[in-house]
């Protein structure tokens, strides 16, 4: 249940609602969406709470929510939540945001070459894993903290915001200190302590769909983060397991408009993991934008043949540059524009 407050409700009005609800036995969570505040109530007595709650000053109405993931659901907002990553870079607004870069940070030269190249092509956010969740324990596991320092240096040099993955609670602090967006990967979508830690972060969280997760399971994972108070969650469709093995995963294009129907959270697509083949990344990137994706996550490597992870699905810089030229038309087909680069493109 949500107690919806009038726009610009005063702290005293909100405080009175919270005190009254707690006296009735509810747990409460203040949900701030722009200038509007709602107070979520959990765990209290079944049935209607006291009529007095609805008549407290500043209260517009009480909304009963039957959704298993109320904070992720449309009950909160009929629009898309705008998440300002850094000043001027918004995911979930009118413009589509492209996050691009290598699967893994490998060394300074590789990362800087990728960062300069994707920025010149018009990307606004640099991706790159310092902590890598690899299927095999014998595969490159990432550079860890040294990789984070390289990401920081790349941001200083290019002005690009950074998205990078946290694989566990122990390394979350270090990742959060550097990342403008913290990624939670597909393998960790149901790592509940990690989700709760992400919920206590002030950073936006890019939550990737699990390998075989339903949309409901994805939204329940998002709910873990939201319920801890972090409303800045970006959902990511990155393909799911299927019987087909020509592609690495099956990019579920219908998930994009479905998630928009079910949730106010912004949705981005990852056509790189969603196909596993660089030749398919462009068509699926365009399709994802046409389906209403709020952004893209694309793996780009200066020398894909030398990549320590995910080379076969990584585009080189020239292919990425050509893709970026094709994307405005796809974005326009969904009534969107491409986000302008935050820094002058050289
Ligand atoms: C990645 O983004 O490099 C990654 C590991 O993705 P996923 O968690 O979707 O497999
Ligand atoms: Mn990867």
């Amino acid at each position: 249940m949500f107690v919806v407050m009038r726009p610009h409700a005063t702290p005293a009005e909100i405080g009175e609602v919270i005190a009254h609800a707690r006296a009735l036995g509810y747990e409460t969570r203040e949900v701030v969406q722009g200038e509007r505040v709602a107070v979520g109530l959990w765990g209290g007595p079944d049935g209607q709470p006291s009529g007095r709650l609805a008549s407290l000053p500043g209260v517009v109405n009480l909304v009963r929510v039957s959704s298993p993931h109320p904070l992720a659901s449309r009950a909160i907002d009929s629009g898309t939540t705008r998440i300002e990553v850094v000043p001027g870079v918004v995911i979930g607004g009118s413009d589509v945001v492209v996050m691009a870069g290598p699967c893994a940070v490998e060394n300074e030269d590789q990362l800087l070459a990728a960062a300069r190249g994707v920025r010149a092509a018009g990307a606004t956010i640099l991706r790159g894993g310092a902590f890598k969740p690899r299927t095999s324990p014998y595969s490159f596991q990432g550079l860890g903290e040294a990789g984070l320092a390289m990401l920081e240096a790349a941001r200083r040099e290019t002005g690009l915001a950074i998205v990078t993955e946290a694989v566990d609670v122990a390394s979350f602090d270090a990742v959060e200190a550097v990342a403008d967006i913290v990624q939670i990967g597909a393998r960790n979508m149901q790592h509940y302590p990690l989700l709760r830690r992400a919920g206590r972060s002030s950073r936006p969280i890019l939550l990737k769909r699990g390998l075989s997760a339903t949309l409901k399971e994805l939204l329940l994972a998002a709910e873990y983060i939201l319920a801890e108070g972090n409303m800045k969650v970006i959902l990511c469709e990155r393909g799911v397991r299927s019987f087909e093995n020509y592609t690495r995963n099956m990019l579920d294009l219908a998930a994009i408009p479905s998630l928009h129907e079910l949730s106010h959270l912004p949705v981005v697509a990852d056509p790189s993991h969603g196909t596993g083949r660089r030749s398919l990344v462009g068509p699926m990137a365009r399709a994802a934008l046409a389906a209403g994706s709020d952004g893209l996550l694309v793996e780009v490597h200066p020398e894909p043949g030398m990549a320590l992870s995910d080379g076969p699905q990584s585009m080189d810089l020239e292919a990425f540059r050509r893709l970026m030229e094709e994307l405005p038309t796809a974005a326009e087909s969904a009534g969107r524009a491409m986000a302008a680069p935050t820094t002058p493109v050289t």
Side-chain angles (χ1 to χ4, degrees):
M1 153 122 39
F2 288 101
V3 182
V4 181
M5 307 297 295
R6 66 178 172 85
H8 305 293
T10 65
E13 288 169 341
I14 297 166
E16 194 179 348
V17 167
I18 291 173
H20 191 75
R22 290 203 178 147
L24 288 170
Y26 288 98
E27 283 184 51
T28 60
R29 163 89 53 208
E30 230 179 287
V31 182
V32 182
Q33 287 286 88
E35 62 193 23
R36 294 175 316 122
V37 171
V39 181
L41 309 187
W42 282 268
D46 286 342
Q48 293 286 339
S50 123
R52 204 166 100 66
L53 205 45
S55 58
L56 290 176
V59 173
V60 175
N61 58 358
L62 306 186
V63 178
R64 285 196 160 275
V65 184
S66 53
S67 168
H69 38 69
L71 295 175
S73 79
R74 282 246 161 256
I76 291 280
D77 199 330
S78 59
T80 300
T81 291
R82 291 165 47 89
I83 297 179
E84 184 159 55
V85 177
V86 292
V89 178
V90 174
I91 299 183
S94 56
D95 296 347
V96 165
V97 170
V98 177
M99 302 171 248
C103 178
V105 178
E106 297 171 4
N107 57 62
E108 265 167 32
D109 290 348
Q110 171 248 16
L111 185 64
L112 267 180
R116 290 190 187 119
V118 302
R119 188 190 77 157
T124 41
I125 299 178
L126 174 66
R127 65 147 289 147
F131 293 90
K132 292 302 302 174
R134 301 306 301 280
T135 303
S136 165
Y138 306 117
S139 299
F140 176 59
Q141 302 285 309
L143 298 178
E145 301 220 7
L148 293 177
M150 290 174 199
L151 286 165
E152 243 179 338
R155 174 175 46 208
R156 262 198 312 277
E157 153 104 20
T158 62
L160 292 170
I162 302 291
V163 55
T164 192
E165 179 160 355
V167 294
D168 54 23
V169 173
S171 59
F172 198 97
D173 286 3
V175 172
E176 180 184 49
V178 169
D180 298 295
I181 302 175
V182 178
Q183 174 173 321
I184 294 186
R187 290 160 190 76
N188 273 322
M189 190 203 83
Q190 289 177 314
H191 181 157
Y192 300 117
L194 184 61
L195 297 175
R196 288 194 192 279
R197 174 63 186 83
R200 295 192 293 275
S201 177
S202 61
R203 300 283 187 231
I205 307 296
L206 179 74
L207 178 63
K208 300 188 86 173
R209 182 180 185 180
L211 309 176
S212 301
T214 63
L215 299 184
K216 183 176 174 184
E217 287 162 343
L218 172 60
L219 292 170
L220 282 166
E223 191 79 9
Y224 268 87
I225 302 169
L226 302 168
E228 291 291 327
N230 186 353
M231 296 301 285
K232 293 184 274 188
V233 178
I234 303 152
L235 304 171
C236 181
E237 164 56 38
R238 48 76 74 203
V240 289
R241 274 281 156 81
S242 83
F243 54 85
E244 181 54 70
N245 57 12
Y246 180 69
T247 46
R248 178 181 181 185
N249 293 297
M250 186 178 279
L251 188 70
D252 180 4
L253 286 172
I256 299 164
S258 302
L259 288 168
H260 278 315
E261 268 178 22
L262 293 166
S263 176
H264 58 93
L265 297 171
V267 181
V268 302
D270 174 350
S272 306
H273 294 86
T275 61
R277 288 176 180 257
R278 73 172 68 89
S279 62
L280 304 180
V281 171
M284 288 299 98
R286 297 197 301 271
L289 293 194
S293 184
D294 297 298
L296 295 171
L297 188 67
V298 181
E299 287 190 337
V300 179
H301 193 289
E303 283 182 275
M306 302 294 285
L308 297 181
S309 67
D310 288 350
Q313 67 194 36
S314 299
M315 297 183 120
D316 65 19
L317 291 169
E318 177 53 23
F320 180 69
R321 193 189 61 70
R322 287 198 305 270
L323 171 65
M324 288 298 285
E325 284 177 1
E326 294 168 6
L327 292 182
T329 312
E332 280 159 26
S333 73
R336 313 288 283 277
M338 302 299 295
T342 39
T343 49
V345 171
T346 52

